[in-house]
């Protein structure tokens, strides 16, 4: 089976003042369907930039990104957007819920954006199911400002999962949460992958979070430094990963 | 203070487009206000100059009431009245020059002949000459012609012109001895006037009477004393006494409606400008809340923060007012240039720029700017460092504060508008109209916040089948900041309300001005004469004998004196109106009333006059006719009659008109054609009419001419009201931009979740369309009511309000179109949001 996600010698360069900065340089990688992959690295290593390129949120300066067989880096903005709509779900560090929509309406956004009526039976059932899976059943009518930080991030996660996308991309989803709440989010991500067969790509600077992954890519200064294979494990102990990172001097 | 000023400037410079938009908005609002003040000054100056040109050094003008004029006996009485030093009599008549046989078959353009006593005239009037010599003291067949007449007809000094006189005297040739210099205020509508010696004019028109006499008083004599002396001496016929001051006041009053409309437009434009200021500063405060919190944490006092915002407003106000003064003068110049060739009720001649008016405009504009900035400034001062970091939308509190602000600013703008409104200084009656209209507009603005939600859902439902995603997201955007949305909608609604009101008043005015043609005139066409035509003149029989002409019905318009007041009167043939089914009576029996006119001793009153005089059906109208009182029984009250020079005319029969009330003849003949023969009959009648100095015109043509002059005036007012609409449009640009900037992260997430750029653009444009539609619905509703108020209070009874469907349709479509056009840039902004930056945006 071909990879669901590929980066082929991808580089991203930004103009900063008089010169250029290479946030990502010559990265090539592949993610298999149903894998849980994490990108780790210090601040400024390019891991979030790489995630955005892989998810089609941004275009590489050179190189290609292939998403589920489509050369997303060469598609028009509209085509890339529609592909992203169908194939991916995003979770960000700052929740990013629409403040004046209810929990139900925030989760229904992927249907709404696609021009589908979220009240249709199958969509309504999907919304109810995903809210239940993140333990938010009964809070459908609440607005974001009536939820705790953890609950808000669970709504964001539910929104990303509601259409059962093939690929889930999460950029520091636990960065704003306490340890217990963050663990709940990571557990849910892992279940999506392990039980739901979805592919998850996680960006984190936290080894305990990265320990949920089957594989960890380590980035530094925009380049892939190492690839650490942890394998699929029920126990997400971080000790092996931390030891390996220590060997790398991180 | 200097540091605050520097910070304020940097804040404005950091958002150049927003700053420029705001300045332009203030400039437009102040511009219309200044234009109104400049135009008012121009109208006042034009009125004074017009009267000066007409009356010269006259202290008192005695004018004949009846068409017969002032008799020799009256002139003799004037000359011997104590306190009167100079009596300068004038006879004014309109006639046609004898046409050039080589010219076409149409009637030449008529001229106004003014017969004067050269010696007495020179004592009171200046008639500067461009060339030639003045009238000789001894009289003779020499004339002075106006500059316009000389140029139009190619007359030079020494040329000959033949004028048609009365039936008895026939045509007479005159030599041009001088050409009058071109001065404004010619008594002829087209500037075609001729000055002749009085005796010559009296011979030409077979009369020994005069139209009026201008009096110069002896030094030290008071007008009141002379007036009292005249009352006991002038008893031969009714007359009017007018001083120059009274004439000026009358001219000013005749432009009252125009000034009132300008004042309304100025107030709405100014309010729109105030809203822009408010919006800009509210945006700045919201954007800088964190900065303000940090400044407060670092030790800046609340007062200093408030001052910072007010200083920003001051800079915007100064720039906006400066630009507004120039804009206002420019607008006034454009209006003056548009209006002055046509003349008419708006006798603007030149641009008059009153320093006091400019100062008032500047102060009001600046004052409104600061008033608009108060709420955002006070709110900024109340920001605490903690609140700045955890800023939450407190919808209810913000809405209450903004509604308070709205009322304060509206009060300030309303005071400005009422100060401009003519007649407001006259007391409670003059205040009623502006208060009613401003009250309605304030109501629109206050009620707007509560209507936006439900109306927005209703309007959005129309878009839902086509743009479901955008419609759902638009709904949330509109209620994000309900008060801001409501104020944006309110400014648009008010501008559209003014446009719709103008359209309704224009349609009603047009209807009132032309309805008499179809409701009263017993004919298909009119033949108009410049002089009264006696009913026994032989050419009338020839005209009535033309095949296809069923009837020629004479109508004569003149004036009567009732209880010291001048009333317009018209002589009609009751039987003709009865057989034609014309003239609707609101009281009285048509079948009895109209024949009663022909029998004599009867009168039909227009409803407005009956109300004013308090005369019921069966009452007696006491008309002063010479030394006698003629009592006419009121046999009917009509919704509408024939318009006179200052109102609707009372209708009398011909026997009363000619034998008792001094009418000399008909000035209009209504022609009824035999059905099916109109075209052929008209083709035969018209050349015959012209040959007898009667100008033919169909009722449609007459209605068209009247309608065109009404439309011209209202086109001008509409153009100014469009300025208010532009200001509202700028407000929409501001609001939508603010909405986009506040939702950068949200839009980024939506884009990340699959919203295309096109959808993002459509989202903002749909938001604008909904705003525009809601504003249009509210504005049209308010405009219909405002128009009805203005029409009812201005036109009086008997006029049915016509809301002007064309204006309504234009406002509905235009409101949405304006909003969508205003959304182009904010929509582009939304579509260009970079997803990565947006999701990290704080």
């Amino acid at each position: 089976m071909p990879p669901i996600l590929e980066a082929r010698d991808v580089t991203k360069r930004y103009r900063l003042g008089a010169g250029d900065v290479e946030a990502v340089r010559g990265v090539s990688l592949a993610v298999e369907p149903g894998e849980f992959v994490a990108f780790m690295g210090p601040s400024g290593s390019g891991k979030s930039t790489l995630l955005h390129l892989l998810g089609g949120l941004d275009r590489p300066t050179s190189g290609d990104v292939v998403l589920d067989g489509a050369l997303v880096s060469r598609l028009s903005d509209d085509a890339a957007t529609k592909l992203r709509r169908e194939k991916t779900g995003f979770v960000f560090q700052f929740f990013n819920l629409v403040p004046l929509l209810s929990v139900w309406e925030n989760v229904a956004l992927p249907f709404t954006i696609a021009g589908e009526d979220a009240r249709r039976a199958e969509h309504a059932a999907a919304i109810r199911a995903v809210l239940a899976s993140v333990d938010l059943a009964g809070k459908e009518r609440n607005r974001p400002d009536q939820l705790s930080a953890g609950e808000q991030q669970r709504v964001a996660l539910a929104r990303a999962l509601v259409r059962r996308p093939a690929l889930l991309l999460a950029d520091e989803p636990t960065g704003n949460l306490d340890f217990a709440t963050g663990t709940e989010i990571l557990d849910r991500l892992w279940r999506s992958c392990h039980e739901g067969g979805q592919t998850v790509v996680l960006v984190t600077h936290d080894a305990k979070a990265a320990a949920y992954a089957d594989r960890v890519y380590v980035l530094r200064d925009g380049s892939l430094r190492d690839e650490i294979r942890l394998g699929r494990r029920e126990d997400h102990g971080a000790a092996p990963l931390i030891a390996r990172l220590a060997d790398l001097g991180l | 203070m200097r540091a605050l000023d520097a910070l304020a400037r940097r804040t404005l410079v950091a958002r150049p487009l927003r700053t420029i938009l705001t300045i332009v908005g203030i400039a437009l609002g102040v511009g219309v206000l200044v234009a109104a003040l400049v135009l008012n000054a121009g109208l006042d100056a034009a009125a004074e100059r017009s009267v000066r040109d007409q009356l010269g050094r006259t202290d008192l003008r005695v004018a004949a009431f009846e068409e017969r004029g002032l008799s020799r006996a009256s002139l003799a009485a004037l000359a011997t009245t104590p306190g009167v030093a100079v009596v300068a009599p004038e006879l004014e008549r309109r006639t046609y020059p004898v046409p050039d046989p080589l010219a076409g078959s149409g009637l030449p353009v008529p001229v106004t002949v003014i017969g004067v006593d050269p010696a007495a005239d020179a004592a009171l009037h200046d008639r500067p000459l461009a060339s030639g010599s003045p009238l000789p003291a001894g009289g003779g067949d020499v004339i002075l012609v106006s500059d316009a007449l000389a140029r139009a007809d190619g007359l030079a000094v020494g040329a000959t012109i033949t004028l048609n006189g009365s039936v008895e005297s026939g045509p007479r040739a005159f030599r041009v001895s001088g050409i009058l210099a071109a001065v404004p205020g010619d008594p002829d509508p087209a500037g075609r006037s001729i000055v002749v010696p009085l005796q010559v004019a009296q011979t030409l028109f077979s009369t020994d009477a005069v139209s009026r006499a201008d009096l110069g008083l002896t030094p030290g004599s008071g007008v009141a004393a002379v007036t009292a002396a005249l009352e006991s001496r002038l008893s031969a016929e009714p007359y009017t006494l007018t001083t120059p001051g009274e004439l000026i006041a009358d001219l000013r009053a005749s432009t009252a409606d125009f000034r009132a409309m300008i004042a309304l437009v100025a107030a709405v434009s100014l309010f729109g400008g105030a809203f822009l200021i408010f919006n800009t500063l509210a945006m700045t405060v919201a954007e800088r809340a964190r900065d303000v919190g940090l400044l407060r944490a670092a030790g800046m006092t609340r007062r200093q923060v408030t001052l910072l915002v007010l200083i920003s407003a001051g800079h915007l106000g100064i720039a906006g007012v400066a630009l507004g003064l120039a804009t206002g003068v420019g607008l006034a110049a454009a209006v003056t240039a548009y209006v002055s060739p046509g003349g008419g009720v708006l006798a603007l001649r030149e641009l008059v720029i009153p320093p006091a008016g400019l100062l008032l405009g500047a102060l009001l504009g600046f004052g409104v700017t600061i008033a608009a900035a108060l709420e955002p400034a006070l709110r900024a001062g109340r920001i605490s460092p903690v609140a700045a970091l955890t800023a939450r939308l407190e919808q209810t509190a913000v809405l209450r504060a903004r509604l308070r602000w709205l009322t304060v600013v509206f009060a300030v703008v309303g005071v400005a508008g009422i100060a401009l409104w003519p007649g407001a200084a006259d007391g409670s009656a003059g205040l009623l109209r502006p208060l009613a209209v401003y009250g309605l507009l304030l109501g629109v603005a206050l009620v707007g916040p509560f209507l936006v939600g439900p109306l927005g859902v209703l309007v959005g439902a129309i878009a839902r089948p086509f743009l479901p995603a955008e419609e759902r997201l638009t709904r949330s955007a509109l209620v994000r900041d309900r008060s801001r949305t409501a104020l944006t909608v309110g400014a648009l609604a008010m501008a559209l309300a003014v446009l719709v009101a103008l359209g309704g008043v224009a349609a009603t005015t047009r209807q009132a001005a032309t309805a008499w043609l179809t409701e009263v005139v017993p004919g298909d066409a009119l033949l108009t004469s410049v002089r009264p035509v006696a009913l026994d003149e032989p050419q009338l029989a020839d005209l009535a004998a033309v095949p296809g002409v069923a009837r020629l019905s004479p109508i004569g318009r003149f004036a009567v004196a009732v209880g010291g007041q001048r009333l317009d009167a018209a002589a009609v043939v009751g039987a003709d109106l009865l057989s034609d089914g014309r003239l609707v009576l609101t009281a009285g029996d048509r079948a009895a009333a109209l024949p009663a006119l022909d029998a004599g001793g009867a009168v039909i009153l227009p409803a407005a006059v009956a109300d004013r005089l308090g005369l019921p059906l069966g009452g007696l109208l006491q008309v002063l006719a010479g030394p006698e009182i003629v009592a006419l029984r009121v046999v009917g009250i009509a919704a509408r009659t024939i318009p006179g020079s200052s109102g609707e005319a009372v209708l009398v029969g011909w026997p009363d008109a000619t034998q008792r009330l001094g009418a000399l003849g008909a000035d209009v003949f209504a022609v009824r054609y035999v059905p099916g023969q109109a075209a052929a009959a008209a083709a035969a009648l018209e050349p015959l009419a012209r040959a007898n100095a009667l100008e033919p015109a169909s009722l449609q043509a007459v209605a068209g001419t009247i309608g065109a002059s009404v439309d011209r005036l209202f086109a001008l007012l509409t153009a100014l009201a469009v300025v208010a609409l532009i200001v509202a449009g700028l407000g929409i640009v501001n609001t939508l931009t603010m909405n986009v900037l506040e939702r950068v992260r949200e839009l980024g997430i939506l884009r990340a979740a699959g919203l295309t750029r096109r959808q993002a653009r459509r989202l903002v444009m749909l938001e604008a369309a909904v705003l525009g539609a809601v504003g249009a619905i509210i504005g049209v509703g308010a405009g219909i009511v405002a128009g009805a108020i203005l029409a009812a209070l201005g036109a009086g009874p008997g006029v049915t309000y016509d809301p002007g469907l064309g204006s309504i349709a234009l406002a509905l479509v235009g409101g949405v179109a304006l909003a969508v056009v205003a959304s182009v840039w904010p929509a582009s902004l939304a579509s260009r949001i970079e997803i990565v930056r947006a999701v990290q945006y704080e």
Side-chain angles (χ1 to χ4, degrees):
Chain A
M1 194 180 282
I4 192 169
L5 189 60
E6 265 189 271
R8 297 174 182 168
D9 196 25
V10 162
T11 296
K12 180 68 183 180
R13 210 172 286 125
Y14 294 106
R15 182 144 280 263
L16 195 68
D20 288 348
V21 169
E22 274 188 337
V24 171
R25 334 171 173 197
V27 170
S28 295
L29 55 85
V31 180
E32 301 300 325
E35 259 202 298
F36 193 136
V37 168
F39 295 152
M40 274 201 75
S43 192
S45 60
K47 52 190 187 295
S48 290
T49 305
L50 181 59
L51 186 81
H52 297 151
L53 292 170
L54 292 174
L57 296 185
D58 202 356
R59 281 183 192 279
T61 310
S62 63
D64 284 314
V65 173
V66 181
L67 175 63
D68 202 13
L71 211 58
V72 68
S73 49
R74 305 230 185 148
L75 292 175
S76 68
D77 187 83
D78 257 15
T81 302
K82 285 172 184 163
L83 182 70
R84 191 168 65 237
R85 185 194 289 176
E86 288 162 26
K87 301 288 184 183
T88 71
F90 279 91
V91 183
F92 295 98
Q93 181 176 356
F94 293 108
F95 326 143
N96 290 326
L97 303 180
V98 178
L100 288 168
L101 297 182
S102 65
V103 166
W104 177 278
E105 289 168 326
N106 266 287
V107 174
L109 266 178
F111 295 123
T112 307
I113 286 168
E116 297 164 21
D117 188 351
R119 292 167 300 182
R120 266 167 51 187
E122 64 267 34
H123 294 334
I127 295 169
R128 276 195 299 272
V130 79
L131 281 173
S133 76
V134 295
D135 296 326
L136 284 176
K139 300 223 172 181
E140 290 86 349
R141 290 180 195 272
N142 286 43
R143 287 218 312 269
D145 61 352
Q146 296 168 320
L147 304 175
S148 67
E151 286 172 331
Q152 288 186 56
Q153 190 63 304
R154 278 186 271 151
V155 173
L157 184 55
R159 182 178 63 202
L161 291 171
V162 73
R163 285 181 74 104
R164 298 185 57 77
L167 182 62
L168 206 61
L169 300 123
D171 187 358
E172 306 266 16
T174 60
N176 258 12
L177 305 174
D178 58 68
F179 177 76
T181 315
T183 304
E184 287 174 15
I185 297 296
L186 292 167
D187 283 342
R188 183 61 182 87
L189 280 173
W190 191 83
R191 283 203 308 276
S192 300
C193 179
H194 183 62
E195 296 166 10
Q198 284 167 305
T199 308
V200 177
V201 178
L202 170 74
V203 161
T204 183
H205 63 271
D206 180 6
K208 295 192 183 68
Y212 278 74
D214 305 331
R215 279 191 297 144
V216 177
Y217 286 104
V218 180
L219 283 93
R220 180 173 250 185
D221 296 330
S223 302
L224 275 183
R225 182 76 191 279
D226 200 5
E227 180 189 335
I228 304 168
R229 289 185 180 271
L230 299 173
R232 182 67 50 95
R233 304 163 297 140
E234 296 273 353
D235 157 38
H236 308 297
L241 176 62
I242 292 171
R244 184 73 187 108
L245 290 170
D247 291 342
L248 291 169
L250 294 169
Chain B
M1 189 70 168
R2 198 175 290 175
L4 286 180
D5 184 60
L7 195 55
R9 284 171 197 259
R10 285 190 66 180
T11 309
L12 293 174
V13 167
R15 289 276 185 264
L17 189 61
R18 185 192 303 168
T19 299
I20 290 169
L21 271 179
T22 309
I23 291 171
V24 168
I26 300 168
L28 289 175
V30 169
V32 178
L33 172 66
V34 167
L37 291 166
V38 171
L39 287 171
N40 279 350
L43 287 168
D44 284 345
E48 283 194 34
R49 191 149 165 210
S50 221
V51 169
R52 255 202 333 274
D53 290 339
Q54 282 181 54
L55 296 189
R57 291 175 291 282
T58 302
D59 295 311
L60 204 55
R61 169 169 280 189
V62 182
F65 220 88
E66 297 171 350
E67 289 184 331
R68 283 188 289 239
L70 291 174
S71 62
R72 286 182 193 275
S74 293
L75 280 179
L78 286 174
T80 57
T81 300
V84 174
V86 177
V87 178
E90 290 182 3
L91 174 66
E92 183 176 319
R93 289 280 190 270
R94 296 199 81 212
T95 188
Y96 291 100
V98 171
D100 181 348
L102 298 174
S105 59
L107 270 178
V109 183
V111 296
T112 298
V113 175
I114 304 162
V116 303
D117 175 341
D121 185 69
L124 294 182
H125 302 115
D126 293 323
R127 297 191 195 270
L129 294 178
S131 58
S133 45
L135 293 177
D141 287 352
V142 290
I143 58 174
L144 304 175
V145 300
S146 67
D147 175 75
L149 174 59
R151 280 189 282 113
D153 288 15
L155 296 170
V157 173
T160 302
I161 178 172
T162 305
L163 299 177
N164 274 309
S166 64
V167 172
E168 297 87 352
S169 73
R172 186 163 168 177
F174 296 93
R175 184 176 59 81
V176 176
S177 78
I179 296 174
L180 294 162
V183 291
D186 195 291
D188 185 271
R192 296 167 61 85
S193 60
I194 292 174
V195 180
V196 304
L198 179 62
Q199 285 169 336
V200 171
Q202 288 174 323
T203 305
L204 182 66
F205 298 112
S206 304
T207 180
D208 58 0
V210 298
S211 308
R212 56 183 172 263
D214 287 344
L215 308 182
L217 304 186
T218 55
S221 299
V223 168
V226 172
T227 304
L230 284 173
E231 277 173 7
S232 59
R233 287 161 178 269
L234 290 180
S235 55
E237 58 269 321
Y239 61 93
T240 59
L241 279 177
T242 320
T243 62
E246 286 165 353
L247 260 185
I248 292 172
D250 282 346
L251 277 176
R252 284 196 182 133
S254 70
T255 58
D257 282 344
F258 175 74
R259 296 184 201 224
M261 294 298 178
I262 291 260
L264 180 62
V265 171
V268 169
S269 300
L270 205 54
F271 182 80
F275 170 66
L276 266 180
I277 285 273
F278 170 84
N279 221 14
T280 293
L281 294 174
M283 267 196 247
T284 307
V285 167
E287 275 182 351
R288 302 261 173 219
R290 180 163 295 190
D291 297 346
V292 169
L294 288 171
L295 288 170
R296 291 274 289 117
M300 190 178 265
T301 64
R302 290 184 193 276
R303 189 178 155 278
Q304 283 175 309
V305 172
T306 300
L307 208 53
L308 176 63
V309 177
L310 287 176
I311 291 172
S312 293
H315 284 300
L316 290 170
I318 289 169
V321 164
L323 187 58
L325 289 175
T327 305
V329 170
L331 272 173
V335 168
T336 305
Y338 176 74
V339 158
S340 56
V345 70
L346 292 182
L348 279 168
R349 300 179 187 181
E350 58 199 350
L351 193 66
V352 174
I353 304 177
L358 292 184
L359 184 62
L360 179 63
L363 287 174
L364 275 173
F366 193 76
V368 168
T369 301
I370 297 301
L374 272 176
E375 197 268 342
L378 291 171
R379 191 151 38 90
R382 285 193 290 268
I383 291 176
S384 73
V386 172
L389 295 171
T390 58
R392 285 167 183 264
L393 274 169
E394 293 179 21
Q395 286 274 9
T396 315
V398 169
L399 180 61
R400 272 203 306 270
R402 287 186 180 173
L403 290 180
R404 273 199 304 270
W405 162 86
L406 184 69
T407 312
V408 166
V409 171
F410 212 90
V412 172
V413 171
V415 164
I418 287 173
L420 276 177
W421 197 285
D426 297 338
S428 57
L431 274 176
L432 184 60
R433 264 209 283 181
L435 281 178
V437 174
Y438 290 141
L440 174 69
L441 292 180
L442 179 61
V444 162
L446 289 177
V447 157
F450 307 101
L451 292 177
V452 163
L455 277 177
V457 170
L458 201 65
V459 171
I462 298 168
R464 199 175 301 149
F466 313 101
L467 302 168
E470 292 86 339
E471 189 273 331
R472 185 61 196 90
L473 294 167
T474 294
R475 256 188 279 150
S476 75
L478 287 175
V479 297
R480 160 177 291 274
D481 190 332
R482 200 187 297 268
S483 57
R484 186 197 312 144
T485 302
L487 289 175
T488 306
V489 166
L492 178 64
M494 275 194 277
L496 289 173
V498 167
L499 276 172
V500 170
L502 282 175
V505 173
T508 305
T509 304
R510 201 181 304 114
Q511 180 210 117
T514 58
W516 65 282
L517 289 169
T518 49
E519 292 178 19
V520 181
V521 170
D524 303 304
L526 296 176
L527 302 178
T528 310
S529 173
V530 295
R531 61 170 184 89
V533 176
L535 299 191
D536 57 0
E537 288 191 25
Q539 72 268 32
L540 295 178
D542 296 336
L543 291 165
V546 168
V549 172
R551 185 186 61 226
L552 217 58
S553 184
I555 300 171
R557 290 175 295 186
F558 54 102
V560 293
V562 173
Q565 288 180 44
R566 183 189 179 286
L567 271 188
D568 289 298
V572 296
V573 178
D576 292 344
L577 289 168
L578 186 64
S579 70
D580 235 41
R582 300 298 168 125
L583 198 66
V584 174
L585 294 189
T586 57
D589 173 21
R590 279 183 83 251
L594 289 169
L597 291 185
D598 296 336
V603 66
I604 291 175
L605 301 181
V609 171
D611 287 344
R612 199 167 76 233
L613 298 179
L615 273 175
L617 190 68
L620 285 178
L621 184 72
Q622 313 270 10
V623 179
L624 179 65
E628 301 171 358
I629 301 282
V630 173
L632 301 171
R633 185 163 300 282
V634 178
V635 296
I637 296 175
R640 202 187 313 281
T641 63
I642 293 168
S645 59
S646 57
E648 300 217 1
V650 302
L651 301 181
V652 297
W654 276 104
D656 286 325
T658 51
Q659 294 164 24
R660 302 167 84 188
L661 301 177
L664 296 178
D667 55 345
V668 175
F669 293 88
V671 183
R672 175 64 71 198
Y673 294 116
V674 172
Q677 298 181 28
L685 179 70
E686 286 172 12
L688 184 59
R690 289 196 183 96
N692 286 282
L694 292 169
E695 183 65 48
S698 66
L699 294 191
Q700 289 90 339
V702 174
T705 305
I706 296 170
S709 69
V710 170
D711 288 345
R712 185 182 162 83
L713 178 63
F714 278 93
L716 175 62
L717 290 168
T718 302
L720 287 173
V722 165
V723 173
L725 203 58
I726 292 172
V727 177
L730 293 176
I732 294 174
V733 173
N734 246 5
T735 292
L736 292 175
T737 306
M738 178 86 173
N739 285 355
V740 168
L741 293 176
E742 278 184 348
R743 286 189 290 163
V744 165
R745 190 193 291 180
E746 186 182 315
L747 284 165
I749 274 295
L750 291 172
R751 289 275 289 122
L755 193 79
T756 64
R757 289 188 196 278
R758 197 174 303 156
Q759 279 178 306
R761 192 177 302 124
R762 283 201 297 246
L763 180 62
V764 176
M765 294 183 96
L766 181 61
E767 197 179 316
V770 171
L771 281 178
V774 171
I777 291 169
I778 298 174
V780 163
I784 291 172
V785 176
I789 292 171
L790 289 170
L793 292 174
V799 176
T800 308
Y801 176 60
D802 178 354
L805 292 177
S807 305
I808 290 171
L810 198 63
L812 285 171
V813 170
V816 174
L818 174 73
V820 169
V821 166
S823 74
V824 166
W825 186 74
S828 166
L829 201 64
S831 74
R832 284 183 281 123
I833 282 176
E834 287 183 33
I835 302 172
V836 172
R837 246 186 240 182
V839 297
Q840 293 158 351
Y841 185 81
E842 288 190 60

